[in-house]
Amino acid sequence: MTTYNFDEIIDRRETDSIKWSKKYLEENFGDEDSLPMWIADMDFKVPQPIIDAIIKRAQHGIFGYGHKSDAFLEAAVHWQQKRNGWSIQKEWILFTPGIIPALNFIVETFCRPGDKVILQSPVYYPFAKIITNNGCQIANNPLVLTDGEYKMNFEELEKIAQDSRTKLMFLCSPHNPVGRVWSYDELKRVGEICLKHNVLVISDEIHSDLIYLPHRHIPFASISEDFKMNSIVCTSPSKTFNLAGLHISDIIIPNKTIREELNHKLAAIDIDPGVFASVAQIAAYHDGEEWLEQLLHYLQANLEFIEKFLRERMPKVKLIPTEGTYLAWLDFRALGYTDSELQQLMQKNAKIALDDGYIFGSGGESFQRLNFACPRETLAKALERIEKSLNG
Ligand SMILES: Cc1ncc(COP(=O)(O)O)c(C=O)c1O
C-alpha cells in the first residue's frame, strides 16, 4: 500500500495555475499574495499511477489526435459500477472537454431562445451564465435554509416545471456550494416532477466521489427506468483526482434519442479526449481508489478542523454541514456586514481569496465559500487570517 502525504506543501505558483496566478489574484482579489482558497481544484499531487501513466505516454513522444478508445470508456463504466453500483454501457457515454462545455452544448441542443432552465440557487455560478448566454431564461427555485439545513422547495419546483417553456433542470448533485448530498427521496421527487412536466434532468455529478459518511451518492439515472430515460448524467474524474487542467468529462446518456441529438452537435465540432486525458482517466478509474480513500480521510479531518476552529475562535461564523464536496459554505450573517464590507474584509484585511457567496445567486448573500482541499497548515493559516480580520 502507498501512503500519500497530503500535508506536503507544493508550490504551484509557476505552473500556470489560475488559482495561484499572481496576476489573477492581483486583478481579482486585490493582492498577488492573497492566499487562494477559491476555485475548486486541490493543492494535492494526484495519485502516483496517474503521474506514471502520463510520463509513460509523454516518453512515447508523438502526440497526434486522440480518440475515445474502448479502454477510456470502459474505465468510466468500471468506476460507476465500483463506486455507485450503477451498471452503465460504454455506448451511453459522450465525451466533452469538461462539464461546462457539456452544459453549453446541452442548452444549445435542447432549448430555443426564450426557453427556461431550472436551477436552484445558491448554486455553482456558471449555470446561470450558460443559460442566459444561450438566450434562455433562468427559472430559479431557491433552496430553503431552515435550522442550518438546505432543502428543495418542491411546491415551487412543480409550479416552475409546469410552464411549457421550461425545458431543462440543472440539478447539482452533490450541490456546490451548499454541500448537500441529495437523498433518495429528494431525488425521487425531483425526478417525478420533471417527468410529469416533460422537463429533462441534467444531473451534474462532478463532485459525486467526494462524499462523507454516512452520506451516499445516488446517480440520478439509477433510480428508475423512467428517470434513466429522462436524464443526462454529467460525470468526470476531474474533481475526484485533481485533473481539471486535463479537460475530461464523461456525459452519460442512456436514452438513445437524446444521446444521438447531442452527439450530432458534438460530432460537428469533432472533439475527442487528448492523449494525456485518455491515459489519466484510465489510470484514475482503475488505480486511483486507494488514493481517493486516503484523500477522503484527510478532507474529513480538514472539515473537523474547520468546525473546531469556528466553534472555539469564531463562534459567530457558522459552517453549513458539508455532506459532500471539498467546499465549505460559511455563514457570516450573524456579523451583519454588507456583501461589499465582507468582501473588503476578506480581500484587504485577511488577504485571502474566497468565493463571495452572492455570486452563487440569491440566498448566497453574506456567505463565503472556502475550498479546504489543501494541506492543513494552509487551512490553519487561512482561518487564522479570517479570525484576525474579524477581530481587527
Ligand atoms: C458543479 C460543478 N459543475 C461543473 C464544474 C466545472 O466542470 P469542468 O471543469 O469539467 O468544466 C464545477 C467546478 O467547480 C462544478 O463545481
Side-chain angles (χ1 to χ4, degrees), residues 293-310:
E293 289 303 336
Q294 293 177 41
L295 170 78
L296 287 169
H297 274 108
Y298 194 85
L299 291 176
Q300 173 85 54
N302 269 2
L303 202 46
E304 285 159 14
F305 184 86
I306 299 172
E307 278 161 358
K308 186 165 182 285
F309 194 103
L310 294 183

Side-chain angles (χ1 to χ4, degrees), residues 177-343:
V178 309
R180 275 299 316 277
V181 174
W182 303 115
S183 67
Y184 176 85
D185 288 344
E186 288 167 317
L187 293 172
K188 192 157 170 282
R189 282 194 77 180
V190 168
E192 283 164 354
I193 291 170
C194 288
L195 203 56
K196 184 166 152 202
H197 299 292
N198 216 8
V199 173
L200 179 63
V201 177
I202 314 304
S203 189
D204 179 345
E205 304 189 3
I206 195 168
H207 295 278
S208 61
D209 295 314
L210 301 156
I211 307 277
Y212 307 106
L213 289 171
H215 302 283
R216 195 169 69 86
H217 172 71
I218 304 169
F220 177 81
S222 71
I223 291 178
S224 76
E225 191 59 26
D226 284 342
F227 291 8
K228 188 168 117 187
M229 288 300 130
N230 188 46
S231 59
I232 295 180
V233 176
C234 302
T235 68
S236 169
S238 67
K239 296 290 163 218
T240 316
F241 295 105
N242 211 18
L243 304 175
L246 292 183
H247 292 285
I248 315 170
S249 68
D250 300 281
I251 309 302
I252 306 170
I253 316 181
N255 183 316
K256 189 162 182 273
T257 311
I258 296 173
R259 188 171 65 246
E260 283 180 352
E261 237 182 295
L262 184 62
N263 197 33
H264 182 69
K265 173 148 238 107
L266 298 181
I269 44 174
D270 203 11
I271 37 179
D272 274 312
V275 290
F276 293 114
S278 272
V279 294
Q281 166 151 309
I282 295 166
Y285 281 161
H286 285 294
D287 302 312
E289 199 170 28
E290 183 182 63
W291 178 91
L292 174 60
E293 289 303 336
Q294 293 177 41
L295 170 78
L296 287 169
H297 274 108
Y298 194 85
L299 291 176
Q300 173 85 54
N302 269 2
L303 202 46
E304 285 159 14
F305 184 86
I306 299 172
E307 278 161 358
K308 186 165 182 285
F309 194 103
L310 294 183
R311 200 173 48 244
E312 292 174 357
R313 294 165 62 170
M314 290 189 273
K316 285 197 169 162
V317 181
K318 302 284 179 217
L319 172 69
I320 298 295
T322 312
E323 300 173 351
T325 80
Y326 49 69
L327 306 163
W329 188 232
L330 301 176
D331 179 356
F332 286 81
R333 287 175 302 169
L335 290 162
Y337 295 116
T338 64
D339 278 317
S340 69
E341 285 167 347
L342 191 54
Q343 187 186 59

Side-chain angles (χ1 to χ4, degrees), residues 10 77 134-136 143 156 194 252 258 295 323 339 359 376:
I10 302 168
V77 171
N134 284 292
C136 295
L143 296 175
E156 194 56 32
C194 288
I252 306 170
I258 296 173
L295 170 78
E323 300 173 351
D339 278 317
I359 68 174
R376 197 136 325 125

